[in-house]
Amino acid sequence: IKTTHYSICYLQSLKEEIISCQKNKEDLGILYSNRAASYLKDGNCSECIKDCTRSLELVPFGLKALLRRALAYEALEIYRQAYVDYKTVLQIDWNIPAAHDGVNRMTKALTDIDGPSWREKLPPIPTVPMSVKESLAQAASPASSPQQNSEIDNKKKAPGPEAAKKAKALKEEGNAFVKKGEHKKAVEKYTQSLGQDPKEVTTYTNRALCYLSLKMYKEAISDCDEGLRLDSANIKAFYRRAQANKELKNKKSCIEDLNSVLKLEPNNAVAQKLLQEVQQMK
């Protein structure tokens, strides 16, 4: 693969900057990610992956480094690793179209290669700490007064009338598909709905229900996490996350979620029954 003269000069410049920034982890991580972008542009995917990995070691869960590494893995047909990186990006920020598109491409490719059980062969998908999501959200927000911050929060919680209308219509279409047992189509509609209104808790818990039916347990947990971030006392989110954790053999987490349900609703018979089952698990 030929590298352009401009890229050679740029890479050399970045190399010098990297040497000069050895003591500052954050700056160094950014420089590695930038150099990775240049490698990716030139088709040097192996070097891109190396630099992205270095960047992520210095600055864990860097969005740009994760996306660039995912693209490089995909170009090298290392689809499982690409899927993991795309899914990690969506944990950090659900509203990144490139990551959604990447997940869809990898799902199709892995289904073609490994069949219906392709998820069983995936490497572990790291759980992004809430502190990382919050710090990234703060970094993305410009400095503003408390009054301005309040206005921004209100806008996030209340989408415009047109977006809210579309979100509601798409959610209802998803609900109709659930009643028919067509959970994949329901997931598509719920995903589109969240694109219009990413703050609607019931859409996350509804999609989590679909993911449970599709045996996509990690995805169900991710949706329940988001639902609980928006509503810390949401019983459906706790219960559905407990169901997913049970299937993934996460006994401790499952019991914690069920105890949260019973704390909010002591007479919840369904949660009581599932708790008894889980407590008997080895």
Side-chain angles (χ1 to χ4, degrees), residues 68-271:
R68 287 163 183 165
R69 191 170 68 175
L71 287 165
Y73 277 136
E74 183 177 353
L76 293 174
E77 298 184 4
I78 307 174
Y79 297 135
R80 295 184 189 122
Q81 295 289 358
Y83 180 88
V84 169
D85 279 351
Y86 283 130
K87 289 295 290 185
T88 304
V89 168
L90 290 177
Q91 284 188 65
I92 301 167
D93 187 345
W94 184 256
N95 300 306
I96 297 182
H100 282 289
D101 293 342
V103 166
N104 291 336
R105 289 194 304 272
M106 295 309 93
T107 298
K108 184 178 185 305
L110 290 169
T111 301
D112 291 342
I113 295 168
D114 297 325
S117 61
W118 63 271
R119 287 186 184 82
E120 297 173 7
K121 300 179 181 180
L122 285 175
I125 298 174
T127 300
V128 179
M130 188 57 65
S131 59
V132 171
K133 299 179 186 180
E134 290 172 351
S135 64
L136 285 170
Q138 289 173 1
S141 301
S144 55
S145 68
Q147 183 178 357
Q148 287 174 321
N149 286 334
S150 177
E151 290 172 1
I152 291 169
D153 288 342
N154 287 336
K155 286 179 182 178
K156 286 182 179 178
K157 291 176 183 177
E162 191 64 29
K165 185 178 178 181
K166 287 181 181 178
K168 184 178 179 181
L170 288 163
K171 185 174 76 169
E172 288 174 354
E173 287 182 47
N175 293 344
F177 279 125
V178 170
K179 290 177 182 178
K180 296 177 185 177
E182 298 181 37
H183 294 102
K184 285 185 179 180
K185 291 182 179 179
V187 165
E188 291 177 8
K189 292 300 178 182
Y190 290 141
T191 301
Q192 292 170 16
S193 177
L194 288 168
Q196 298 293 325
D197 181 5
K199 297 293 182 181
E200 177 55 50
V201 177
T202 57
T203 310
Y204 285 108
T205 56
N206 288 358
R207 191 171 64 177
L209 176 65
C210 294
Y211 281 141
L212 286 169
S213 297
L214 296 168
K215 298 185 179 180
M216 298 171 67
Y217 303 120
K218 292 178 182 178
E219 288 82 355
I221 288 174
S222 180
D223 269 6
C224 291
D225 287 343
E226 188 62 23
L228 288 166
R229 188 181 73 80
L230 296 166
D231 176 8
S232 61
N234 190 284
I235 289 175
K236 286 184 178 180
F238 275 124
Y239 183 73
R240 287 170 186 170
R241 191 169 69 177
Q243 289 177 296
N245 276 316
K246 177 177 180 287
E247 297 300 328
L248 293 172
K249 311 299 181 186
N250 297 332
K251 182 176 179 180
K252 182 180 177 182
S253 296
C254 180
I255 289 173
E256 287 175 356
D257 282 339
L258 291 170
N259 283 334
S260 295
V261 172
L262 294 171
K263 185 177 179 180
L264 294 164
E265 232 178 53
N267 297 319
N268 190 312
V270 178

Side-chain angles (χ1 to χ4, degrees), residues 14-25:
L14 279 174
K15 183 178 180 182
E16 291 170 2
E17 289 185 62
I18 286 169
I19 292 170
S20 67
C21 289
Q22 289 297 327
K23 293 182 180 179
N24 189 320
K25 285 188 176 183

